[in-house]
Amino acid sequence: MNIAKLIYTALLLMYCSFAYGLTPISSANPSAVNGILDLRGQTFSNQLPLNGQWKFYWHQLLSPQDSVVKNGTIVNFPFKWDGKVLNGKALPAFGYATYRLTVLLPKRTEILRIAMPDTYCAYKLFFNGKQVAENGQVSTSADGFTAYWQYRAVDIAPETDTLKINLQIANFVHSQAGIKKPLTIGTKTLVELDRRRAEAIDLMLTGCLVMGGIFFMGLYLRGNRDKAILLFSLYSIVYAYRIIGSDNYVLHTLLPNINWYITTRLEYTSLFIGICLFGLYTRYLYPKDVNIKLLYTLSGICFAFAAAAICLPPIYFTQLINPFLVVMLFCLVYVPGVYMVAYKRKRPGATYAVLSAFALMIVFAISLFHYWGFIPQLQFISFLCYISFFFLQSLVLSHRVSFVLKKAREQAEQGLKAKSEFLSTMSHEIRTPLNSVIGMSHLLLKNNPRPDQIEQIDVMLFSANNLLAIVNDILDYNKIEAGKIVFEHIEMDIAAIIRNIVSGLQTPAQDKGIDLKLNLDRDLQNKVLGDPTRLFQVISNLAHNAIKFTPKGFVEIGVEVQGQTDKMITLLIRVTDSGIGISPEKIKIIFDRFTQADSSTSRGFGGTGLGLAICKKILQLQHTSLQVSSKPGKGSTFYFIQSFEKSIKTVEQQQHEDNLPKQEDKPFTGVSILLVEDNPINVLVAQKFLERWGARADVAQNGVEALEKLDTAKHQLILMDLHMPIMDGYEATRKMRLNGVTLPIIALTANLLNEIEDQVKLAGITDMIAKPFLPDELFRKVLHYVHKNA
Ligand code: ADP
């Protein structure tokens, strides 16, 4: 945001409002001469001030009947007498006097109204000999005197053509005395409307401030223990008092007879405390951009002023306003300065803070100039500026709150990222040795072991596979959570997948004496398109669970065709068992991660409680959902309904697949492969398999060695580990490609494949195999590239 432009626009707006809103108080208005104000030529389209030369009688409380009076002087009304020199003597603040004016009114049909402002500090007003208004109790001594301020207005009947005003004022409490604001005259409707407007504006502003204050207080109390928010809330509430408790004194109209001593103390205290709170608020808002000592000193001074306003008699504390103006002026310069610094340092919400300071400066300027009598109250402009100030400050705070939330979210995301990175690293670390264990076990099994060794190797393989399943589960869940899972869309034979699962689980089922059954719908004839790995994972997980939680009876895997067209087929896939079942209240939680229906489950049956959570998520991401119906003690059925696209395969493709060579035919005889791998056990495993299939493998232990040993005339394929000392697989591949090597390079990696996909492509690697590799996969990939190259 261009702040200069904004300030410029705001200035222009302010200028326009000033030009529009300024009521002329200049020479255009008639002025009293020698105690007589001639308004006979006036139409009263605006309110007129009764200003000019009034008669003033010091130390006399004249009643209208006292017609022969001495010692009268002419003063320029409105006239505050404290400190004024009369007959060579400076007048004290304490005392009493009478002001007199005769107003000549035009002929008219309308009722006129005179608005009487507040005076220092009690008055009695007479029109044509009759008392028409009073505030407090005027008296010639402090004894009978009572101070009071409240707005009053007096109507003048249409037939009155001459109005003799007799105004008695007395003061025995305040440091100022007399009257500072003009009496004004206008049509009754106009004066009433103006007053209502002024009251409405003040009340509206007060309402806004109180609501804002309560809102921010709530925010603070509800947990966001940010001191800036608390201080702003207090500032809003304190300042709300100033709006109705000063200037138009709307509060005094709302609560007539409210005690003068209380309201006056509150009026001053709210100003001192308000500035103090604002200073502290700035200190907490931009703690790094303020001079903390300076702000604490400033707040201390404000507090001292406030304490004086509470403890001292009014004659003293009412004198504090002028020295306090210095403090206010300092704040007016210093605080915007802080905001500018904060803006330059790009603190959250500083743009709004700068703009709000600008609005506040206008308010202060108006109230100062008005206080000194240079300009009228300009209430509407002040109102707009106040509203802008509080609105902008609220934006600063909301910006701050959302900034804190954003930061917290970023931290949480960073935490998640760290977790995922940790899991990836762990996966790498765990999978690499597992690769060796599983590979070597397979080799041992194929090297004619003794019967007793077969059993031991089986146990070892079983445990290693279990460990691999757990690692994979954790990784899988992590991957799904991070939204990193990508589904394949390739041809798959669902019947074959399920048959594979059943034959794989036959042994554990038989061991438990469970009848593991397969129930395939005859209508399931086609291969379909989908992700065979994930489908296998879901069904085998459910089947595993079924066997695990079934002490006796049966487990059945069933597929029913629910409907099919030429292109699509909808299947209901279910796993039913006659096991322990799940109670209705537990059914809700078994799909949550790391939860098991019974805390004794993990002890009795093992498991991590991740399986179902993963199945559910995998199916959810494929737009279907995992359902369960279960009766405790009777058994459970886990099922889902999924639609698949049918695969249409040409006869040639099918024949090609059928004609592919088999592993035992040593199809790679004569093929030479460069195996780049630093882990000797991995080398051993891969080498053994490749040799079993007829290939010859040359081994390089790192990238540099690979570059030396590569012979493009001899080698047909490169198997490249990615993480190696001296030079890693990426770098080695890049160098080979730069040297013009076009041979297929297959990466062997323990990372999650799609996490490194981009890096691998960029380096020029042809394909990838995840470690620990399955012999079948290695065979298929090698076959594919060797064939292609041939
Ligand atoms: P794990 O099997 O590793 O504990 P799962 O997420 O696969 O985790 O299952 C969560 C829980 O759901 C199990 O611990 C078990 O209490 C319950 N459960 C799952 N399948 C069955 C089933 N076929 N029969 C009874 N309870 C089951």
Side-chain angles (χ1 to χ4, degrees), residues 625-638:
S625 66
L626 181 57
Q627 311 283 337
V628 58
S629 70
S630 182
K631 271 202 183 124
K634 291 255 171 359
S636 321
T637 300
F638 285 83

Side-chain angles (χ1 to χ4, degrees), residues 377 496 767:
Q377 200 185 356
D767 206 338

Side-chain angles (χ1 to χ4, degrees), residues 642-656:
Q642 192 172 0
S643 295
F644 299 92
E645 215 178 303
K646 286 181 177 172
S647 149
I648 303 144
K649 206 170 216 182
T650 58
V651 180
E652 291 89 63
Q653 276 172 327
Q654 196 57 52
Q655 273 174 353
H656 169 77

Side-chain angles (χ1 to χ4, degrees), residues 225-238:
R225 294 289 157 131
D226 181 344
K227 288 214 178 75
I229 290 181
L230 173 69
L231 287 162
F232 186 71
S233 143
L234 293 174
Y235 171 68
S236 301
I237 291 169
V238 167

Side-chain angles (χ1 to χ4, degrees), residues 541-542 545-546 548-549 577 580-582 590 595-598 601 606-613 636 638:
N541 220 320
L542 297 177
N545 275 352
K548 193 156 79 171
F549 296 108
D577 64 58
I580 59 172
I582 308 157
I590 53 167
T595 36
Q596 301 182 317
D598 198 325
T601 306
T608 54
L610 267 181
L612 286 181
S636 321
F638 285 83

Side-chain angles (χ1 to χ4, degrees), residues 741-783:
V741 176
T742 53
L743 289 181
I745 300 178
I746 303 178
L748 300 170
T749 173
N751 280 92
L752 294 176
L753 295 189
N754 49 9
E755 266 178 12
I756 52 164
E757 214 174 304
D758 296 340
Q759 253 177 301
V760 160
K761 263 192 204 145
L762 218 70
I765 292 167
T766 325
D767 206 338
M768 292 182 284
I769 296 178
K771 285 199 281 192
F773 59 80
L774 300 170
D776 281 356
E777 197 191 359
L778 181 66
F779 178 78
R780 256 189 295 116
K781 290 246 157 122
V782 173
L783 183 71

